[in-house]
Amino acid sequence: QVQLVESGGGLVQPGGSLRLSCVASGSFFSIDVMAWYRQVSDNTREAVASIGSDGNIHYEDPVKGRFTISRDNAKNTVYLQMNSLQPEDTAVYYCYAHVRVAKYTGDRAYWGQGTQVTISA
């Protein structure tokens, strides 16, 4: 069993900042990619940013220049620093990870429970 536990969501005003955290716990060998997705209501869950175990980072266009993804491998934690937040950023944000649960197995995909981020005046 691998768990991804998110925290840091909340309500902020336009232009404000928020920092999300996601901690992986349980029994696993290693974590490859970690990523953040977001979903508005019943729409498709969309990618936000990802970071590989080697530090390779990708941002989707809507958040470039405003969001920063980082990870602390020793703590099995990924962060999403969100600045200059706007109402269109309102969504449930989900942590996602490709986890190698054992040395000789392939990766498995895991999702966090999601954390609500609301931007409103």
Side-chain angles (χ1 to χ4, degrees):
Q1 181 72 26
V2 177
Q3 299 85 37
L4 302 178
V5 180
E6 299 146 308
S7 62
L11 173 66
V12 296
Q13 294 182 314
S17 297
L18 210 57
R19 192 192 194 201
L20 307 182
S21 300
C22 172
V23 180
S25 63
S27 180
F28 53 86
F29 180 74
S30 63
I31 304 174
D32 292 324
V33 63
M34 301 188 81
W36 290 95
Y37 286 69
R38 63 187 182 185
Q39 183 173 3
V40 179
S41 299
D42 58 349
N43 292 333
T44 302
R45 195 170 297 180
E46 299 179 341
V48 176
S50 64
I51 181 169
S53 60
D54 61 355
N56 186 44
I57 293 173
H58 174 76
Y59 296 102
E60 296 300 317
D61 288 341
V63 308
K64 287 181 178 177
R66 299 188 298 121
F67 291 9
T68 302
I69 189 170
S70 61
R71 65 190 285 173
D72 186 333
N73 292 328
K75 297 181 179 180
N76 297 317
T77 301
V78 63
Y79 305 94
L80 187 67
Q81 178 66 47
M82 304 183 293
N83 299 326
S84 301
L85 285 164
Q86 299 300 316
E88 54 264 36
D89 296 314
T90 295
V92 177
Y93 283 71
Y94 294 90
C95 181
Y96 176 80
H98 283 178
V99 180
R100 187 176 297 275
V101 298
K103 184 176 182 179
Y104 300 110
T105 63
D107 284 8
R108 294 180 62 184
Y110 291 89
W111 291 95
Q113 80 285 356
T115 183
Q116 177 69 51
V117 172
T118 302
I119 298 87
S120 179

